Amino acid sequence: MPEQPRHSSPSDRETVIRVRDLEVGFGERTIMKGLDLDVYRGEILGFVGASGTGKSVLTRAILGLVPKRHGTIEVFGEDLDALSASERRAVEKRWGVLFQQGALFSALTVKQNIQVPMREYLSLSSRLLDELAMLKIEMVGLNSDAADKFPSELSGGMIKRAALARALALDPEIVFLDEPTSGLDPIGAGDFDELIATLQRTLGLTVFMVTHDLDSLHSVCDRIAALGEGRILASGTIETLLASDHPWLRAYFHGKRARAVLADPG
Ligand SMILES: Nc1ncnc2c1ncn2[C@@H]1O[C@H](COP(=O)(O)OP(=O)(O)O)[C@@H](O)[C@H]1O
Ligand SMILES: [Mg+2]
């Protein structure tokens, strides 16, 4: 069984995502098989694994964007396969996503990007849509003058923040972040991590975060799950993963880069 997150006791652990015996593949290739995963309400789960192991594919499979060959995926206790189209939309309104690729639509301003999910799922006046978008812009620490800028006019860090604002557009309970700090310098990445931790605390978010960033894993994640060989190799607190004797986990958490972080956990 996975470890409990730091800030909750075993009795109040509600499973918001439950994946069982999942198999996903493309053509001849099987990417994952027999994969089980639980995500608990209110936790920040860090999801790690070597490049190409299927972290993004798993994320997309949970979101229903990649077909599965076998297994069940339950979100908020609902088997996603068993839902009607309207029930499905109701579940989709309760999660937000920051994709690894194509974080923003390049032809739309920041404000318009944030309003895309709002327009899809809510029917509100354009004045209210503008007010809501400005609120999200402020929430992620962007200046209000970023609202009318296009992605090409923004720095990498600002793009990530704007994409996070879009992920938060519908006040979701779960946010999926696929490598949100990749491409940012260490200070920008650290600031983004702090923002995630603050939003998680103030909004009570559940965060599913794919990351390669050891600093993030140490500073903001309650629990970590590692993907490899098509399954979850290990999950639990950072201490649990550090104690694993799996060769990839040992190399990852005890390598040169890891030792530098562990020596100075901040
Ligand atoms: N739509 C697709 N069709 C075929 N192969 C895919 C598709 N999406 C991903 N893959 C393959 O699945 C594997 C896992 O990809 P991905 O989940 O993106 O890895 P990562 O863990 O780096 O996020 C890769 O080998 C990738 O090439
Ligand atoms: Mg990926």
Side-chain angles (χ1 to χ4, degrees):
M1 277 300 286
E3 303 288 328
Q4 68 195 55
R6 281 196 289 265
H7 54 268
S8 80
S9 66
S11 58
D12 61 23
R13 281 199 301 180
E14 177 198 345
T15 304
V16 288
I17 301 175
R18 184 194 306 273
V19 178
R20 288 293 178 273
D21 203 17
L22 180 67
E23 180 174 338
V24 180
F26 303 101
E28 304 274 89
R29 276 188 72 198
T30 300
I31 308 293
M32 60 198 72
K33 191 172 179 174
L35 184 142
D36 295 341
L37 179 70
D38 288 312
V39 182
Y40 304 115
R41 185 176 292 279
E43 74 173 344
I44 303 185
L45 178 76
F47 200 72
V48 300
S51 185
T53 46
K55 303 181 296 297
S56 295
V57 167
L58 174 62
T59 308
R60 298 175 69 84
I62 295 171
L63 298 170
L65 301 172
V66 161
K68 57 185 168 59
R69 288 179 179 162
H70 188 81
T72 55
I73 298 171
E74 290 175 19
V75 181
F76 308 121
E78 309 263 17
D79 180 348
L80 296 184
D81 287 337
L83 301 181
S84 67
S86 68
E87 290 167 334
R88 163 95 205 172
R89 273 175 72 81
V91 169
E92 286 171 357
K93 267 175 77 169
R94 296 169 67 187
W95 69 44
V97 191
L98 194 165
F99 288 104
Q100 184 173 13
Q101 253 88 43
L104 294 174
F105 298 113
S106 57
L108 302 181
T109 65
V110 167
K111 188 173 79 181
Q112 290 165 340
N113 263 284
I114 296 168
Q115 291 172 341
V116 168
M118 295 177 177
R119 288 182 194 283
E120 192 177 340
Y121 291 95
L122 313 171
S123 52
L124 298 171
S125 69
S126 45
R127 216 201 69 214
L128 207 47
L129 285 176
D130 282 354
E131 278 180 27
L132 282 177
M134 294 315 290
L135 192 72
K136 304 298 171 188
I137 285 170
E138 199 174 317
M139 203 182 255
V140 297
L142 284 175
N143 242 315
S144 55
D145 61 11
D148 297 315
K149 294 207 161 104
F150 289 92
S152 59
E153 301 174 279
L154 304 177
S155 70
M158 289 166 81
I159 289 176
K160 300 286 186 177
R161 280 171 197 266
L164 181 62
R166 191 177 62 188
L168 296 171
L170 301 173
D171 300 323
E173 291 161 59
I174 307 176
V175 285
F176 295 87
L177 311 174
D178 196 349
E179 305 209 21
T181 57
S182 71
L184 300 184
D185 61 53
I187 292 173
D191 288 348
F192 194 91
D193 285 340
E194 252 176 62
L195 172 63
I196 296 294
T198 304
L199 290 173
Q200 185 276 330
R201 275 195 308 272
T202 52
L203 305 174
L205 287 172
T206 302
V207 181
F208 178 99
M209 177 164 68
V210 178
T211 182
H212 274 296
D213 194 328
L214 283 163
D215 286 316
S216 306
L217 294 171
H218 284 278
S219 58
V220 301
C221 295
D222 296 297
R223 218 158 52 86
I224 298 167
L227 180 67
E229 300 156 23
R231 61 190 175 87
I232 303 296
L233 294 174
S235 69
T237 60
I238 184 112
E239 290 78 18
T240 309
L241 271 78
L242 282 166
S244 166
D245 54 12
H246 188 280
W248 185 82
L249 288 169
R250 284 199 63 79
Y252 187 75
F253 286 106
H254 298 274
K256 216 172 179 179
R257 211 162 55 97
R259 276 196 301 273
V261 174
L262 285 169
D264 179 19

